[in-house]
Amino acid sequence: MLFIMSKNISLDDIASLAKRRGFIYQGSEIYGGLAGTWDYGPLGVTLKRNLVNAWWKFFVESRDDMYGIDSAILMNPKVWIASGHVAGFTDPLIEDVKTKKRYRLDHLLEDAGVDVKGMDLAAMVAAIQEKGVKSPDGNELGNPANFNMLFRTSIGAVEDEASTVYLRGETAQGMFTNFKNVVDSFYPDLPFGVAQVGKAFRNEISPRDFIFRVREFEIAEFEYFINPENWEAEFEKWRVAMHQWCEEILGLPAEKVHELEVSKEDRAHYSKRTIDFEFDFPFGKKELYGLAYRTDFDLNNHQRDSGKNLEYRPKDGSPAFVPHVIEPTFGVDRTLMAVLCNSYTEDEVNGEKRIFLKLPKHLAPVKACVSPLLKNKPELAAKAREVYSMLKKEIGVVMWDDNGNIGKRYRRQDEIGTPACIVIDFQTLEDGTVTVRDRDTAQQTRVSISELENTIA
Ligand code: ATP
């Protein structure tokens, strides 16, 4: 019998399963960690790859108007001056006067129940005073400042101002700096997009909530170059496509994905319209993705600072112009976290509690597990190895597990979201059928080996 329990899932439930089962570990753990960094383990990296591949297929490969790139993480520092990041990529920082620990001012206010939407630094300071907000250690707070989140490093053998470079704070600038290259190589019709998936780095003041807010993370995004006359229709097209991605590919229920129209005061410096896509995470409704109308801000600035012509020349002979841009942006780590949170399920099978990940099957890191019913029966083990090798060749990520009893093996596979567990028993030797146990229903059916690949696919 199957009985689904409704329980409020905490972030600790997710993080402990992720660690226990080899999805995500603390970064540099044996040295006590490094705040804001996490390492993906064997199952985590496969799940992340599956997500990125699905994204690439959905937004890039399946379309005729999208060009993928992979630009360098280190870029000429002039890029970040032109983009406005050196001057304005900041978060409000405030210090505990006693412990000297630093916090994000807006986060402290949010934690105190203040809605910070639309507030500038002065308004936040006033709210801190009015509410008497203290640091989490109960001490007075000092004067706030805007803190730039770009990580700096230096390039070459000499360390001086001239050698300063930045780890990219977003992947978007790689698309803008390659706009002319893509146009020259392919001369695409407008509208078209340039996409990439890659690491971004932000010196977050207070990384928190597991992999939600980290200092090194991955972004999948594209810049969709358009004629500004059509910006509203293009914006709408991508708004709809983003929901489609969330529901059809990630399996996130529509009622857990919310749109937030970002006010002018809260929008990034380059944006004329932004919608945040928020997800109901266990710790609240928080930003999952963003959709922004970046106008011609970036291309214009790069044209000005580089001295290169970044106009698009329409094929019908009408005057050249600098295209505008719609940017859908997807945090890969937040995607993985939303999928994990949404998949985490607890139920009871035959009176016993179990945890399982109800991952969409195409995302599951392991597609099937093969076991002999009894480890110490050579004839069962040999047949099971045969089935295992066959499936590994046909469907790839298949796991072998002959540890412990069958019940324990099922629990392990449930916790990593393996859709099917295949068991070879004595009947297999007689009639060539195996049992296939379904992750979600815990039901077992007998299937002939020749039908296995189809059943699992
Ligand atoms: P937030 O308001 O949460 O700081 P943001 O609005 O600054 O995010 P964007 O600049 O739009 O975020 O970044 C694009 C996407 O990258 C976000 O929608 C999110 O999915 C992801 N992201 C941003 N910052 C982080 C971070 N520190 N850790 C993990 N993912 C992040």
Side-chain angles (χ1 to χ4, degrees), residues 164-457:
T164 297
V165 290
Y166 304 95
L167 297 188
R168 67 181 176 199
E170 60 173 24
T171 55
Q173 295 309 320
M175 275 79 97
F176 295 121
T177 53
N178 280 291
F179 167 77
K180 186 172 158 31
N181 286 333
V182 172
V183 170
D184 290 349
S185 303
F186 299 93
Y187 198 17
D189 286 322
L190 212 63
F192 70 91
V194 182
Q196 78 170 317
V197 180
K199 287 265 173 136
F201 303 83
R202 293 183 189 177
N203 198 359
E204 293 278 354
I205 297 163
S206 42
R208 59 182 188 175
D209 299 323
F210 192 34
I211 54 168
F212 180 83
R213 185 169 303 286
V214 289
R215 291 184 166 134
E216 174 180 341
F217 57 99
E218 210 162 319
I219 295 182
E221 67 184 356
F222 54 90
E223 306 306 318
Y224 199 70
F225 297 99
I226 57 165
N227 185 322
E229 284 170 7
N230 309 327
W231 83 266
E232 273 151 323
E234 294 292 351
F235 193 93
E236 179 59 14
K237 176 171 95 186
W238 292 113
R239 190 189 67 78
V240 171
M242 288 174 81
H243 280 291
Q244 203 187 347
W245 158 257
C246 289
E247 287 163 41
E248 291 173 21
I249 311 296
L250 302 183
L252 303 178
E255 63 274 15
K256 285 192 185 171
V257 180
H258 313 273
E259 284 184 19
L260 172 78
E261 184 75 47
V262 180
S263 69
K264 190 167 182 291
E265 296 72 34
D266 287 336
R267 285 199 293 261
H269 56 280
Y270 49 70
S271 176
K272 243 187 177 163
R273 186 181 177 196
T274 298
I275 291 179
D276 281 351
F277 282 62
E278 297 185 320
F279 180 74
D280 290 325
F281 287 101
F283 49 94
K285 192 163 73 161
K286 300 280 176 193
E287 176 175 335
L288 175 63
Y289 300 145
L291 170 64
Y293 172 34
R294 277 181 96 129
T295 67
D296 54 358
F297 177 87
D298 298 270
L299 282 185
N300 264 338
N301 287 1
H302 288 308
Q303 179 165 264
R304 183 196 63 214
D305 286 14
S306 70
K308 297 283 182 307
N309 185 330
L310 299 181
E311 288 176 328
Y312 178 84
R313 193 165 295 286
K315 290 175 185 167
D316 64 6
S318 50
F321 64 97
V322 174
H324 283 221
V325 143
I326 305 288
E327 177 197 70
T329 175
F330 306 75
V332 174
D333 310 79
R334 286 189 193 175
T335 304
L336 191 139
M337 191 160 160
V339 167
L340 276 185
C341 294
N342 190 53
S343 303
Y344 185 99
T345 316
E346 289 188 7
D347 70 358
E348 257 180 32
V349 178
N350 300 328
E352 233 185 86
K353 183 186 145 183
R354 74 160 177 159
I355 295 170
F356 74 107
L357 286 186
K358 208 173 181 169
L359 291 169
K361 291 182 183 168
H362 70 109
L363 297 177
V366 178
K367 303 298 179 212
C369 173
V370 179
S371 306
L373 179 66
L374 301 168
K375 190 180 178 174
N376 55 5
K377 294 285 174 205
E379 64 276 33
L380 292 185
K383 190 72 191 166
R385 279 284 174 195
E386 207 182 282
V387 172
Y388 171 73
S389 305
M390 177 196 90
L391 286 179
K392 209 157 174 61
K393 216 181 279 164
E394 305 297 341
I395 56 174
V397 202
V398 179
M399 201 180 252
W400 172 265
D401 190 358
D402 59 6
N403 278 325
N405 64 37
I406 284 288
K408 286 218 178 89
R409 294 179 209 163
Y410 286 159
R411 296 294 172 273
R412 271 198 294 274
Q413 296 302 323
D414 284 344
E415 286 202 354
I416 64 173
T418 307
C421 285
I422 295 149
V423 176
I424 281 71
D425 55 19
F426 291 105
Q427 196 180 325
T428 313
L429 304 179
E430 285 165 19
D431 65 4
T433 65
V434 295
T435 58
V436 178
R437 174 188 174 273
D438 180 82
R439 176 195 69 194
D440 300 346
T441 62
Q443 293 296 316
Q444 297 180 21
T445 44
R446 281 210 87 84
V447 174
S448 85
I449 292 172
S450 56
E451 282 300 307
L452 257 186
E453 195 195 327
N454 281 344
T455 310
I456 290 158

Side-chain angles (χ1 to χ4, degrees), residues 87-107:
F89 193 46
T90 57
D91 269 341
L93 171 146
I94 200 157
E95 199 173 85
D96 177 319
V97 293
K98 211 163 165 191
T99 65
K100 305 291 176 208
K101 279 193 212 159
R102 293 169 156 200
Y103 300 95
R104 243 177 89 166
L105 179 51
D106 52 335
H107 286 172

